[in-house]
Amino acid sequence: QVQLVESGGGSVQPGGSLKLSCLVSQSTYNRYCMGWFRQTPGKEREGVAAITTDDRATYAASVRGRFTISRDKAKNTLNLQMINLKPEDTAMYYCAAFGSYCYSTRLQEDEYDDWGQGTQVTVSS
């Protein structure tokens, strides 16, 4: 099994930026679909961004243009660069792994096999 460990969360004012990182324990996951999800109390976990085997990205409409998902394959990490943060971005953010080669976008949580513990992002003035 793979272990996913998120880091980089914190508190920031609206308009600020944060970079989240997910350390992945197996290098094979550099070639698998990966994603970032978020969850707030009382709401279902929602897909934020996903990346395919061939490194094509898809984003939720609410974050498109502000968030960027990327891989650092040398470090076995998945990153989420977030800029122009808004209060509605406040959530626990989770790294997720699909677990196989994937050539289409994945933003549905029930399609993912493994999850990290989450890192909290709070955006407030």
Side-chain angles (χ1 to χ4, degrees), residues 35-85:
W36 285 97
F37 291 75
R38 65 187 182 187
Q39 187 170 215
T40 57
K43 298 179 66 177
E44 292 186 345
R45 193 173 297 171
E46 62 177 351
V48 174
I51 189 165
T52 65
T53 290
D54 51 340
D55 293 333
R56 291 179 292 108
T58 191
Y59 300 93
S62 59
V63 308
R64 192 172 297 122
R66 299 187 298 117
F67 290 12
T68 303
I69 188 171
S70 64
R71 306 181 194 266
D72 187 336
K73 296 176 181 179
K75 297 181 179 179
N76 296 332
T77 58
L78 178 76
N79 298 316
L80 185 69
Q81 178 67 59
M82 306 183 293
I83 64 170
N84 193 23
L85 284 161

Side-chain angles (χ1 to χ4, degrees), residues 4 16-17 21 24 36 40 47 52 57 59-60 67 83 90 95-96 113-114 118:
L4 311 174
S17 64
S21 295
V24 183
W36 285 97
T40 57
T52 65
Y59 300 93
F67 290 12
I83 64 170
T90 296
C95 176
D113 301 311
D114 294 282

Side-chain angles (χ1 to χ4, degrees), residues 36-37 44-50 58 96 98 105-113 115:
W36 285 97
F37 291 75
E44 292 186 345
R45 193 173 297 171
E46 62 177 351
V48 174
T58 191
F98 183 71
T105 56
R106 306 287 184 182
L107 276 176
Q108 303 302 125
E109 63 266 46
D110 58 3
E111 297 182 353
Y112 287 79
D113 301 311
W115 298 83

